């Protein structure tokens, strides 16, 4: 039998205004009360049973089962030719087609044979309820064939030696391994990729064939792999396979880039053997350069290949490479007006960003962003002004390589990385105080060749916070008042210096996402302070540049998973080109811990955790939950008190298609923040493992989304279910004693919560 694998197969705060208006007009109460009824009526009115002929059935679901539980059939639903259709409110539906059922049986039969189950049998069963049909495809796999003997017959001795030295003869094609056409195809691709990356440019997978002899009684297969001599066409005389090397590399249309940039991003170099992989890597390297619009690489042979071919000596043929580039427009300006609403205080902002994509002719990207904002603040008494002004400017320079003095050009050429240099200044003038923030950072970013794993290393990140002016009223009421003194508040309204470094890791595929970050601050400065005896402030903390510096360690991990629902949807996860299913369960967990130590007794406000909001426990507004069982006291400063050193978020969300671009969701959230120490201003906020289950806040709710593919508009209505901060049992368990005006929170956001 002859087998051929080829034939076997947050900045949008304007939107908070909508929340405010809806609360004023009580429209949310109506939404909460009548949405379930509306969904029921729409579902009844859009019944797909209307218009069916007497002999027609609606295809509700496809199921693939194996009578042998040890044989996985995950992904086989993709080979069923007719799929169910329609969302919750859709009138579209699929009429069951028995011809397609038969064709699907043949597809599944072929799939089983490709897996080595040459005696497999596929049957069908149909389950009908109210004219909706579930079609079950039942597979009896029987025994899978095993490889009894395997050998390689390679006519070209140079290729034979290369494959032997490279260990390719020690693959899956060996005695005792399960036999399948898929395994043969994988071996074919592996051998071909290896040879085309070691100089054999003209080699293709059709030049590698298998001869398989099977024994049905013993379910065994003898497999031979053949690679013959090279023939350019059917009339050509067989020769040893030609091998190619890079003779020279030239560039056209590339005068907008420096020579070093061209060399660094061209992975193949003169004198090296030709490699398909290096050619593709070169395409990828140039495609990520912001200054380059398109790339084309062509190869020519300066010497006729047929004049070098021989039956006894391997021909080494030179190749001249030409890399042609076209450039992108180097300059752009973006203007973005904003409307803002912070707890009912309205304002406006304007952002302007200039970008140069090739500032030093090395595809370095320079951006300069400015932002100005104004806000009218209500409800303040005892202050000279009620207006808030902010101005910020940020300069960022991104190099498309690693910038470090000890790295060679060859090392930079072999690694796909970027370097960011960021400097920013922010000026805030509030009625209560003036704040100035200066930031400087040097960061490295890189990713793996597959593009699903990325890393970031913050070599140095400096933050200097200055409080040049604090109003007498604010100082008297909050900072100096002995009866209302707040240690956390005071610490965050003093000058502060943060010198940190950090490392971040991100992995993502279509259904899983993992993010982990760790950062530390102040360790180097603390070591120098001990050696050189830096001065201390009144609280006993060392000062650098006349300012106390923060010292802490912080760790965060974030995990998300999407689980398609339904057998045919679960199988879709293993498809080569999976589509987002119409119904799925999204799960999310996040844990973060930050510990101040040595030179710090507490964390800077920007590094503290908060809970509630559109991406946390959605029954609470942002920064209104926790820490622990802490109860709000003073709404004017509780945004400081309701923060912590530790955070837990647990979320589950059922997402489904509704109609057009609308999608619906039902969610359950749990979580809170805690402090790691007892602070007098945050009673009940310290984390204790014995009371963790009592202090986990729980919320539930519904969501409406508009999915435009490139962005998602999201409206979530959350309700408190279990409140860890309460005065009576009704407040403790709102799920049993709901009161809409007390327990709801509305969130309007862009993008999914996780």
């Amino acid at each position: 039998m002859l087998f051929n694998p080829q034939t076997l197969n947050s900045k949008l705060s304007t939107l908070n205004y909508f929340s405010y208006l809806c609360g004023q007009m009580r429209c949310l109460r109506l939404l909460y009360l009548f949405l379930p009824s509306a969904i029921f009526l729409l579902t009844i009115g859009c019944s797909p049973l209307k218009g069916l002929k007497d002999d027609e059935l609606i295809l509700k679901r496809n199921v693939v089962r194996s009578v042998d539980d040890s044989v996985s059939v995950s992904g086989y639903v993709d080979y069923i030719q007719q799929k169910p259709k329609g969302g919750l409110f859709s009138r579209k539906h699929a009429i069951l087609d028995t011809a397609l059922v038969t064709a699907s049986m043949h597809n599944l039969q072929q799939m089983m044979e490709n897996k080595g189950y040459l005696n497999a049998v596929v049957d069908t069963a149909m389950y009908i309820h109210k004219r909706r049909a579930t079609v079950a495809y039942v597979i009896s796999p029987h025994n899978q064939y095993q490889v009894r003997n395997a050998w390689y017959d390679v006519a070209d001795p140079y290729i034979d030696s290369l494959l032997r030295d490279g260990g390719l003869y020690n693959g899956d094609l060996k005695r005792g391994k399960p036999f399948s056409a898929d395994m043969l195809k994988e071996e074919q691709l592996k051998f071909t990729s290896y040879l085309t990356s070691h100089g054999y440019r003209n080699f293709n997978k059709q030049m590698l064939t298998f001869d398989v002899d099977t024994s049905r009684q013993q379910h065994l297969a003898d497999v031979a792999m053949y690679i013959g001599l090279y023939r350019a066409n059917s009339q050509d005389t067989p020769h040893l396979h030609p091998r190619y090397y890079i003779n020279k590399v030239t560039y056209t249309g590339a005068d907008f880039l420096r020579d070093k940039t061209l060399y660094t991003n061209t992975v193949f170099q003169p004198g090296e053997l030709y490699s398909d992989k290096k050619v593709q890597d070169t395409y990828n390297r140039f495609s990520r350069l912001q200054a380059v619009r398109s790339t084309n690489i062509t190869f020519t042979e300066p010497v006729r290949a047929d004049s070098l071919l021989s039956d006894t000596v391997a021909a080494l043929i030179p190749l001249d490479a030409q890399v042609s580039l076209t450039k992108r427009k180097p300059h752009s300006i973006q203007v973005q007006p904003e409307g803002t609403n912070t707890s009912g205080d309205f304002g406006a902002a304007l952002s302007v960003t200039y970008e140069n994509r090739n500032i030093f002719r090395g595809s370095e990207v320079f951006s300069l962003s400015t932002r100005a904002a104004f806000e009218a603040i209500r409800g303040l008494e005892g202050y000279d002004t009620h207006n808030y002004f902010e101005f910020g400017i940020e300069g960022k320079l991104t190099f498309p390589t690693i910038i470090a003095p000890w790295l060679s050009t060859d090392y930079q050429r072999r690694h796909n990385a970027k370097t960011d240099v960021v400097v920013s200044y922010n000026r805030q003038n509030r009625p209560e105080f003036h704040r100035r923030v200066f930031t400087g950072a040097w960061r490295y970013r890189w990713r793996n060749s597959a593009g699903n794993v990325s890393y970031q290393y913050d070599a140095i990140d400096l933050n200097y916070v200055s409080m040049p002016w604090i109003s007498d009223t604010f100082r008297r009421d909050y900072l100096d008042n002995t009866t209302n003194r707040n240690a956390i508040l005071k610490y965050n309204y003093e000058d502060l210096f943060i010198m940190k470094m950090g490392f971040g890791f991100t992995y993502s595929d279509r259904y899983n996402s993992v993010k982990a970050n760790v950062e530390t601050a102040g360790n180097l400065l603390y070591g120098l302070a001990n050696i050189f005896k830096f001065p201390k402030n009144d609280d006993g903390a060392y000062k650098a540049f006349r300012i106390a510096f923060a010292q802490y360690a912080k760790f965060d991990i974030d995990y998300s998973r999407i689980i398609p629902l339904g057998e045919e949807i679960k199988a879709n996860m293993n498809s080569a080109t999976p589509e987002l299913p119409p119904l799925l369960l999204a799960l999310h967990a996040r844990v973060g811990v930050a510990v101040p130590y040595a030179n710090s007794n507490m964390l800077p406000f920007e590094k503290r955790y908060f809970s509630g909001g559109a991406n946390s426990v959605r029954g609470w507004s942002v920064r209104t939950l926790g820490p622990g069982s802490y109860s709000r006291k003073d709404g004017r400063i509780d945004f400081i008190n309701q923060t912590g050193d530790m955070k837990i978020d647990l979320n589950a969300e059922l997402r489904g298609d509704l109609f057009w671009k609308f999608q619906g969701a039902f969610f359950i959230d749990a979580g809170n923040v805690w402090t790691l120490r007892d602070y007098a201003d945050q009673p009940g906020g310290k984390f204790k493992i014995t009371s963790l289950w009592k202090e986990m806040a729980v919320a539930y709710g519904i969501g409406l989304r508009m999915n435009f593919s490139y962005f998602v508009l999201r409206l979530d209505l959350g309700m408190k279910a279990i409140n860890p901060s309460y005065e009576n049992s009704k407040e403790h368990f709102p799920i049993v004693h709901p009161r809409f005006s007390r327990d709801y929170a509305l969130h309007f956001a862009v993008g999914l919560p996780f």
Side-chain angles (χ1 to χ4, degrees), residues 5 71 120 176 372 399 453 490 504 515 539 569-570 572 574 632 667-668 670-671 673:
V71 178
F399 298 89
V453 179
K490 181 178 182 297
K515 299 177 183 178
D539 296 325
I569 297 172
K570 290 179 182 177
N572 186 44
N574 296 326
R632 292 172 62 87
F667 57 84
I668 299 176
V673 293

Side-chain angles (χ1 to χ4, degrees), residues 417-430:
K418 294 182 179 180
T419 303
D420 294 328
V421 181
V422 182
V423 177
S424 68
Y425 173 76
N426 185 266
R427 179 187 181 96
Q428 305 169 14
N429 286 357
R430 290 185 59 90

